[in-house]
Amino acid sequence: MILSIWIKLIEFLTKSKANFQKFISNNEIRQLLESFNSFSNEAEIRFVGGCVRKYLLNQKIDDIDIATVLQPEEIIKKFEKTNVKVKKTGIEHGTLTLVLEKQHFEITTLRKDVSTDGRHASVVFTNDWEEDSQRRDFTFNAIYMSVKGKIFDPHLGVHDLKNKIVKFIGDPDQRIKEDYLRILRFLRFSIEYSNFDFSKETLR
């Protein structure tokens, strides 16, 4: 049984990796990565969130989110003499928007929540990828992908994505109290992935 599950997961990832060159060959993405390569190394940035989820499902990618160990001030300084425009859209939470031609990329420094009010959080920055993943909502939104297509999946989100399981990271009650909009996101993804087999704990 376990062997069968792993074989299916490998097949799923292999099929997804066949599309990696198509994803990475997008002109704006390629230019952005070339800019990063000029002052950084590949271990400092990873794709995350919806773009990775859609990439693995071979769906159209309409937004790009990037996670990084670099802090906002470092990013702003490093892009000063490039053709990438930096917007301070959410700098207090570690988020910047990089604009290259007509493409927008959100880049956010790895972080952990210190406190929340049910919608917004006070954060501190970290350089620990797994610690950053703990504050995200669902397992399949905490899948990170390197610029070479290597997957970092601390919460087994690939398994849940393949099986259309919408699963909170950790305690559902805690995740919801951090941001009540996650209730709507849970319903949205459950409908999108046709999953109505809620666990009793999640439904409660």
Side-chain angles (χ1 to χ4, degrees):
M1 179 67 176
I2 294 176
L3 179 60
S4 175
I5 292 173
W6 277 107
I7 289 174
K8 289 180 179 178
L9 278 176
I10 292 171
E11 289 175 347
F12 179 68
L13 285 172
T14 301
K15 182 179 179 180
S16 299
K17 284 187 176 182
N19 300 315
F20 181 69
Q21 288 304 319
K22 181 179 179 181
F23 171 74
I24 213 72
S25 64
N26 174 283
N27 187 51
E28 286 81 11
I29 294 177
R30 182 175 49 77
Q31 288 185 56
L32 185 69
L33 293 180
E34 287 174 356
S35 297
F36 266 113
N37 289 338
S38 67
F39 59 71
S40 182
N41 66 70
E42 64 184 53
E44 292 181 324
I45 62 169
R46 288 173 176 167
F47 300 105
V48 70
C51 64
V52 178
R53 186 181 70 248
K54 292 177 182 179
Y55 158 73
L56 290 171
L57 292 173
N58 197 25
Q59 296 176 340
K60 180 181 178 181
I61 297 171
D62 47 18
D63 61 341
I64 304 291
D65 290 328
I66 299 170
T68 180
V69 297
L70 300 172
Q71 297 206 10
E73 294 77 11
E74 294 180 84
I75 297 169
I76 292 169
K77 185 175 181 180
K78 290 177 183 299
F79 277 111
E80 279 180 349
K81 297 181 180 180
T82 72
N83 60 343
V84 177
K85 183 178 180 181
V86 181
K87 293 184 177 181
K88 302 177 183 179
T89 46
I91 190 169
E92 68 276 11
H93 298 111
T95 299
L96 301 169
T97 299
L98 307 179
V99 183
L100 181 59
E101 298 180 10
K102 295 181 179 180
Q103 181 76 54
H104 289 64
F105 305 86
E106 275 205 352
I107 182 166
T108 303
T109 303
L110 303 187
R111 58 195 181 178
K112 63 178 181 178
D113 293 347
V114 175
S115 63
T116 63
D117 62 5
R119 184 64 191 99
H120 302 98
S122 296
V123 302
V124 294
F125 300 138
T126 179
N127 60 2
D128 187 323
W129 294 91
E130 187 162 354
E131 191 170 46
D132 179 79
S133 76
Q134 294 287 346
R135 64 172 300 281
R136 297 180 181 273
D137 51 9
F138 307 111
T139 57
F140 54 51
N141 283 335
I143 306 170
Y144 302 78
M145 183 174 70
S146 76
V147 299
K148 290 188 175 179
K150 184 176 180 180
I151 295 294
F152 174 60
D153 183 16
H155 302 287
L156 304 180
V158 172
H159 170 272
D160 292 338
L161 184 63
K162 178 188 178 297
N163 291 284
K164 299 183 178 181
I165 299 172
V166 185
K167 182 179 179 183
F168 282 100
I169 293 172
D171 178 18
D173 187 55
Q174 182 181 346
R175 293 285 83 78
I176 289 170
K177 286 178 179 177
E178 290 168 351
D179 184 350
Y180 292 113
L181 279 183
R182 287 173 173 169
I183 296 173
L184 298 181
R185 286 172 59 79
F186 176 79
L187 295 174
R188 168 203 158 190
F189 285 125
S190 294
I191 292 169
E192 182 176 347
Y193 296 132
S194 301
N195 174 60
F196 294 95
D197 186 18
F198 304 150
S199 72
K200 291 182 179 179
E201 175 62 19
T202 299
L203 190 59
R204 186 188 65 80

